[in-house]
Amino acid sequence: MPNESQPGASSKAAVTAAIGARARKFPCPQCGADVVWHPGSKRLRCDYCGCQQEVAADAGVASAAAESPTDRFVGERTLADGLAQAGDLGWGAERKAVRCTKCGAVETFEPGVAAKACAFCGTPAVVEAPTDANLVRPEGVLPFAVAKNDALQRFRGWLSSLWFRPSNLKERAALTGIQGIYVPFWTFDADSRSDWTAEAGYRRGSGKNARVEWRQASGTLDHRFDDLPVPASQGIDAATAREIEPFPTANLVPYDPSYLSGFLAEEYAIGLAEAHGLARERMDETLRKACRAEVPGDECRNLRVSTVYANWLYKSGLVPVWIAAYVYQGKSFRYVVNGATGKATGTAPWSWVKIGFAVLAALIILGFIFSNS
């Protein structure tokens, strides 16, 4: 609950969100058990009686109401409006929260579920975190499309394909299994115009007579960024996120807490203003490479790029990720699957003993070949 010593509109909004969170449930209309989102059927389904139902449009939860299917998609908002105005608060459903003492990620899940380890790094040291009624609710969600069994098959196939890994890796990794978690993201649109100058080098001659002739070059590059993603996650770093991109964020639907039923969800760890700065850094990097490609000749030096951005737009949303995280000899490793496309990446420990034996065997074979040549 918010601090009652600070009355005001924001405090009242937080209280309203907290009350709404306690009231929101997802009972099966036939047997009363919980219904959860099933990627295969793309519906809410009861695992006890098999009853299926669509996610209902709900005018009381984060603009989830819709008059037609096309209205169910999330549009961009101007960055200036987003920075000036506060969004809806709370998850809109009752959620428990735990914080990982190692990676710092705050995961939320439904009451009655016990968290044994961090979904992101596999560390068993998680502590209960206070419910934050003031957290900004995501505007959209990209529902899971890849089923858990499909993600597990990918994980097992990946484990089987690894070379020079510890012999007990499969058993150790299997202890964790795989978990579905919604990870927070921001996406940004912007128009850019980059003026660049550089020295373009042209190779002349060959051998001892080789030289580079340098000439001044300049140009202008116009580029439109569309849905450039910035993860707002504490558990998924930007490098890992890039390896499983892209997420089809054009398909974000208005947030409804029923999509979260049966899954973990991470709280936003990066706000809009900070995400905007990270987006600009990534755009600057992309534009510098694009301008470098515009420089004529064989070589380039002293490249300078000056960029002006305009028409900033953004969206916020949750994207689906399957994670198999485990700890091996005190270090965290994981396999991450894009829950919308199936694109995956992973890390695993090396067996230096196996590598050593392989190198030794290769040296013996080479020695035998040279001794008989």
Side-chain angles (χ1 to χ4, degrees), residues 304-351:
R304 293 180 175 85
V305 180
S306 177
T307 301
V308 175
Y309 293 97
N311 302 322
W312 281 95
L313 302 172
Y314 81 96
K315 289 187 295 193
S316 68
L318 301 175
V319 296
V321 175
W322 291 105
I323 302 179
Y326 57 97
V327 178
Y328 189 89
Q329 294 185 349
K331 294 184 178 180
S332 297
F333 302 92
R334 62 188 175 188
Y335 182 72
V336 183
V337 181
N338 183 319
T341 68
K343 189 176 181 181
T345 186
T347 58
W350 294 98
S351 172

Side-chain angles (χ1 to χ4, degrees), residues 69-111:
T70 56
D71 294 330
R72 290 282 295 168
F73 292 99
V74 178
E76 285 86 358
R77 298 175 58 193
T78 63
L79 180 64
D81 288 344
L83 292 173
Q85 301 173 6
D88 293 324
L89 302 178
W91 287 111
E94 188 176 3
R95 308 281 294 180
K96 289 174 57 179
V98 295
R99 178 178 57 83
C100 176
T101 59
K102 183 176 182 180
C103 73
V106 178
E107 306 160 29
T108 71
F109 44 89
E110 292 157 311

Side-chain angles (χ1 to χ4, degrees), residues 249-335:
T249 48
N251 297 333
L252 282 169
V253 298
Y255 172 78
D256 188 291
S258 54
Y259 287 112
L260 275 55
S261 182
F263 293 94
L264 302 175
E266 184 188 9
E267 293 184 359
Y268 271 80
I270 296 177
L272 178 58
E274 183 180 356
H276 171 233
L278 294 173
R280 177 154 183 164
E281 289 179 8
R282 185 170 176 180
M283 290 178 181
D284 287 344
E285 177 186 345
T286 299
L287 291 172
R288 183 172 181 82
K289 292 179 179 178
C291 289
R292 170 64 184 86
E294 295 287 310
V295 179
D298 305 304
E299 298 182 25
C300 171
R301 70 182 184 186
N302 296 329
L303 174 66
R304 293 180 175 85
V305 180
S306 177
T307 301
V308 175
Y309 293 97
N311 302 322
W312 281 95
L313 302 172
Y314 81 96
K315 289 187 295 193
S316 68
L318 301 175
V319 296
V321 175
W322 291 105
I323 302 179
Y326 57 97
V327 178
Y328 189 89
Q329 294 185 349
K331 294 184 178 180
S332 297
F333 302 92
R334 62 188 175 188
Y335 182 72

Side-chain angles (χ1 to χ4, degrees), residues 83-345:
L83 292 173
Q85 301 173 6
D88 293 324
L89 302 178
W91 287 111
E94 188 176 3
R95 308 281 294 180
K96 289 174 57 179
V98 295
R99 178 178 57 83
C100 176
T101 59
K102 183 176 182 180
C103 73
V106 178
E107 306 160 29
T108 71
F109 44 89
E110 292 157 311
V113 178
K116 298 180 181 179
C118 175
F120 291 103
C121 66
T123 302
V126 292
V127 296
E128 187 171 347
T131 301
D132 184 8
N134 292 301
L135 67 87
V136 176
R137 184 181 302 166
E139 296 173 346
V141 59
L142 184 63
F144 274 88
V146 176
K148 183 175 184 178
N149 285 340
D150 292 338
L152 272 174
Q153 290 297 328
R154 295 172 190 268
F155 177 45
R156 290 166 181 165
W158 175 76
L159 282 177
S160 300
S161 68
L162 297 177
W163 292 76
F164 304 122
R165 308 294 178 167
S167 299
N168 64 342
L169 178 61
K170 290 183 181 180
E171 292 76 12
R172 181 65 190 87
L175 292 178
T176 301
I178 196 163
Q179 296 190 67
I181 182 166
Y182 281 103
V183 176
F185 260 73
W186 302 94
T187 70
F188 293 90
D189 297 358
D191 292 319
S192 67
R193 168 160 288 191
S194 301
D195 295 319
W196 60 266
T197 60
E199 291 181 72
Y202 298 84
R203 298 190 187 100
R204 305 299 188 209
S206 61
K208 293 182 179 180
N209 298 321
R211 62 187 178 85
V212 177
E213 180 182 315
W214 294 100
R215 300 178 186 174
Q216 290 293 328
S218 62
T220 299
L221 177 70
D222 291 326
H223 185 78
R224 171 68 179 172
F225 289 94
D226 181 45
D227 274 9
L228 181 129
V230 175
S233 169
Q234 184 73 27
I236 296 287
D237 59 276
T240 300
R242 289 195 190 191
E243 290 183 18
I244 61 173
E245 290 177 4
F247 286 92
T249 48
N251 297 333
L252 282 169
V253 298
Y255 172 78
D256 188 291
S258 54
Y259 287 112
L260 275 55
S261 182
F263 293 94
L264 302 175
E266 184 188 9
E267 293 184 359
Y268 271 80
I270 296 177
L272 178 58
E274 183 180 356
H276 171 233
L278 294 173
R280 177 154 183 164
E281 289 179 8
R282 185 170 176 180
M283 290 178 181
D284 287 344
E285 177 186 345
T286 299
L287 291 172
R288 183 172 181 82
K289 292 179 179 178
C291 289
R292 170 64 184 86
E294 295 287 310
V295 179
D298 305 304
E299 298 182 25
C300 171
R301 70 182 184 186
N302 296 329
L303 174 66
R304 293 180 175 85
V305 180
S306 177
T307 301
V308 175
Y309 293 97
N311 302 322
W312 281 95
L313 302 172
Y314 81 96
K315 289 187 295 193
S316 68
L318 301 175
V319 296
V321 175
W322 291 105
I323 302 179
Y326 57 97
V327 178
Y328 189 89
Q329 294 185 349
K331 294 184 178 180
S332 297
F333 302 92
R334 62 188 175 188
Y335 182 72
V336 183
V337 181
N338 183 319
T341 68
K343 189 176 181 181
T345 186

